[in-house]
Amino acid sequence: MCESLDRMREEARSEGMILGRRDGLIQGEEKAELRILTNLLKKGISDSYILEITGVSSELLMKAKQSIH
């Protein structure tokens, strides 16, 4: 019984670590995209062209615009 609980605890811990890494990677990727979008906006590139060449969502572009102001 105790071994089963230990195994379940270890599996839960491993799953938590995997989910944490995945979330960290996603946040890091978004941060990098925001930095690129911010730079493009500062250079005066139009929203429609940025969306076309980057393929990011309009929501992310709006978030980048808000970070400038």
Side-chain angles (χ1 to χ4, degrees), residues 19-58:
L19 293 174
R21 283 189 196 117
R22 185 194 71 200
D23 290 346
L25 289 172
I26 290 169
Q27 289 174 354
E29 183 177 311
E30 183 176 306
K31 186 176 179 181
E33 287 176 338
L34 285 171
R35 185 176 41 232
I36 292 166
L37 294 173
T38 300
N39 289 337
L40 293 171
L41 289 166
K42 286 179 180 178
K43 293 289 184 183
I45 298 175
S46 72
D47 293 3
S48 60
Y49 190 61
I50 291 173
L51 291 172
E52 180 184 335
I53 62 172
T54 63
V56 299
S57 68
S58 56

